[in-house]
Amino acid sequence: DIVMTQSPDSLAVSLGERATINCKSSQSLLYGSNNKNYLAWYQQKPGQPPRLLIYWASTRESGVPDRFSGSGSGTDFTLTISSLQTEDVAVYYCQEYYFTPRTFGQGTKLEIK
Amino acid sequence: EEQLVESGGGLVQPGGSLRLSCVASGFIFNNYWMAWVRQAPAKGLEWVANMDQDGSQKYYVGSVEGRFTISRDNAKNSLYLQMDSLRDEDTAVYYCARWRESRANAAFGIWGQGTVVTVSS
């Protein structure tokens, strides 16, 4: 099975500062004739279901603020929040969607410093 | 509005059974792959099972293989998860999720609010 490893496990960032979360896959997620990376990022706030933020590693879902961006290719990916807002406090998960089982990272808890 | 609403969770003894349901609205249900994802208390997300639009392809995580069965009724816009031989470690919030796109491999674009399953004696 694919292993998805996020770093760090937790992160505290000051309001207005940049937050960076990393995700590493044990196999390349770059496949297909479309040459896309099968990697998504989700945000989960307490008591809520996950919300899709980014798919194809770098495409922002409709309605997601542009301070969220995804980058990377192959096995190494990054979620960046350019200017942290109070409402961004949450746990963030990466997930591959090429292989079965679909595997999530262990999650990164983001807090305000 | 595209929406998924789960039901059927509850308290069940080890070895017991439970059937979860997920009703979809606001989109053409039979256009999409569907999945169940669970989250144990204070833990991360774990994909459980998924199936294609007509039910011909079904996949399960190893820990539930042979115990859980995913199914759907497109006429009722509904997804199901029959859970048998339940174990303590199956205790979790169970989410219904829809592919973002109608292709075979896509991110989970829509999530339900979840239904709580507790396995305990």
Side-chain angles (χ1 to χ4, degrees), chain A residues 67-103:
Chain A
R67 63 180 180 273
F68 290 90
S69 64
S71 63
S73 184
T75 61
D76 293 279
F77 302 91
T78 300
L79 174 69
T80 301
I81 307 172
S82 60
S83 176
L84 189 70
Q85 305 299 305
T86 305
E87 59 266 31
D88 300 334
V89 170
V91 179
Y92 293 84
Y93 296 92
C94 63
Q95 183 227 353
E96 62 81 18
Y97 51 91
Y98 187 83
F99 298 97
T100 296
R102 301 283 198 245
T103 305

Side-chain angles (χ1 to χ4, degrees), chain B residues 94-109:
Chain B
Y94 283 74
Y95 295 104
C96 170
R98 192 206 81 183
W99 261 222
R100 186 190 176 281
E101 305 163 43
S102 59
R103 58 191 297 149
N105 297 79
F108 296 134

Side-chain angles (χ1 to χ4, degrees), chain A residues 34 38 40 42 44 47-52 54-56 61-62 93 95 97-106, chain B residues 33 37 39 43-47 50 59-62 95 99-101 103-109 111-114:
Chain A
N34 57 11
Y38 288 65
Y42 302 88
Q44 187 179 31
Q48 296 186 19
R51 171 196 182 193
L52 176 64
I54 302 285
Y55 58 98
W56 300 128
E61 176 67 311
S62 175
Y93 296 92
Q95 183 227 353
Y97 51 91
Y98 187 83
F99 298 97
T100 296
R102 301 283 198 245
T103 305
F104 291 88
Q106 80 276 19
Chain B
W33 284 68
V37 177
Q39 186 169 35
K43 298 295 186 182
L45 301 169
E46 179 184 38
W47 167 81
N50 61 26
Y59 302 97
Y60 301 90
V61 68
Y95 295 104
W99 261 222
R100 186 190 176 281
E101 305 163 43
R103 58 191 297 149
N105 297 79
F108 296 134
W111 296 71
Q113 288 297 312

Side-chain angles (χ1 to χ4, degrees), chain B residues 12-94:
Chain B
V12 60
Q13 293 187 339
S17 298
L18 216 51
R19 188 195 195 209
L20 307 184
S21 299
C22 169
V23 177
S25 60
F27 62 92
I28 301 173
F29 182 69
N30 60 11
N31 277 358
Y32 296 92
W33 284 68
M34 297 293 297
W36 289 98
V37 177
R38 68 184 178 183
Q39 186 169 35
K43 298 295 186 182
L45 301 169
E46 179 184 38
W47 167 81
V48 174
N50 61 26
M51 68 186 302
D52 67 348
Q53 290 91 332
D54 65 6
S56 60
Q57 298 181 65
K58 301 180 182 182
Y59 302 97
Y60 301 90
V61 68
S63 59
V64 310
E65 190 93 48
R67 300 189 299 122
F68 289 13
T69 303
I70 188 172
S71 62
R72 66 192 293 164
D73 184 337
N74 287 337
K76 295 182 178 180
N77 290 340
S78 294
L79 179 74
Y80 306 101
L81 185 67
Q82 177 66 41
M83 303 187 296
D84 298 319
S85 303
L86 282 160
R87 304 169 181 168
D88 290 352
E89 55 265 33
D90 295 318
T91 294
V93 177
Y94 283 74

